[in-house]
Amino acid sequence: MCIFCKIVKREIPSNIILENEDFLAFHDINPKAPVHILVIPKVHVESFHEVSGEIMSGITPFIQKVAKELSLDKNGYRVITNIGEDGGQEVKHLHFHVLGGAKLAWSHLSDAHPKEMI
Ligand code: 5GP
Ligand code: ZN
């Protein structure tokens, strides 16, 4: 069983922000911003590339609710999901990073020059 499935089943402790029947939001163990939350579906889905439209239509208002409860909606925030090796996905259970609480940088995503990738 994957680490986030264990968090869903309370086999691993986490600092939970919000939960409903289908989704869970908890603090990232290694925050990269003043607010860094992970939002996951309770059912195991490997990544965004495999997720159904039904889960996406449920998780979208759930993420919006998390952002509102943490007062991120006033100044803005960022939602990121990493997919696979090039995307930098370490945990193979779909999760959305919700980052905020400060002006976030948007500078350096890859060592490869953008023009080399076109
Ligand atoms: P990824 O690199 O897969 O997009 O992000 C995985 C995230 O999960 C990382 O930000 C990492 O800090 C977080 N993480 C990994 N293991 C745990 C854990 O056991 N508990 C919590 N709360 N976060 C975790
Ligand atoms: Zn899982």
Side-chain angles (χ1 to χ4, degrees):
M1 193 191 301
C2 93
I3 194 166
F4 287 175
C5 283
K6 286 182 180 167
I7 284 177
V8 170
K9 289 189 184 305
R10 309 301 204 265
E11 288 176 13
I12 292 177
S14 70
N15 193 345
I16 293 171
I17 302 281
L18 194 67
E19 177 174 22
N20 69 15
E21 202 184 319
D22 300 318
F23 308 111
L24 187 66
F26 53 96
H27 286 275
D28 194 294
I29 207 168
N30 181 21
K32 293 180 174 64
V35 178
H36 186 171
I37 308 302
L38 299 174
V39 177
I40 65 170
K42 290 187 172 177
V43 64
H44 183 88
V45 175
E46 179 154 327
S47 82
F48 178 80
H49 196 66
E50 286 81 24
V51 75
S52 67
E54 189 187 351
I55 289 177
M56 286 307 298
S57 73
I59 209 165
T60 299
F62 187 82
I63 291 171
Q64 291 163 346
K65 194 170 178 191
V66 168
K68 192 153 196 191
E69 294 218 347
L70 295 168
S71 304
L72 297 175
D73 52 323
K74 188 165 168 277
N75 286 337
Y77 58 99
R78 186 171 296 163
V79 178
I80 295 175
T81 188
N82 297 324
I83 302 154
E85 198 180 335
D86 276 5
Q89 183 181 6
E90 282 172 12
V91 178
K92 302 292 191 293
H93 179 133
L94 171 66
H95 52 283
F96 291 91
H97 298 262
V98 179
L99 300 144
K103 179 90 179 159
L104 301 171
W106 181 256
S107 54
H108 186 82
L109 291 178
S110 165
D111 290 331
H113 192 282
K115 283 196 175 127
E116 292 166 9
M117 301 169 74
I118 294 168

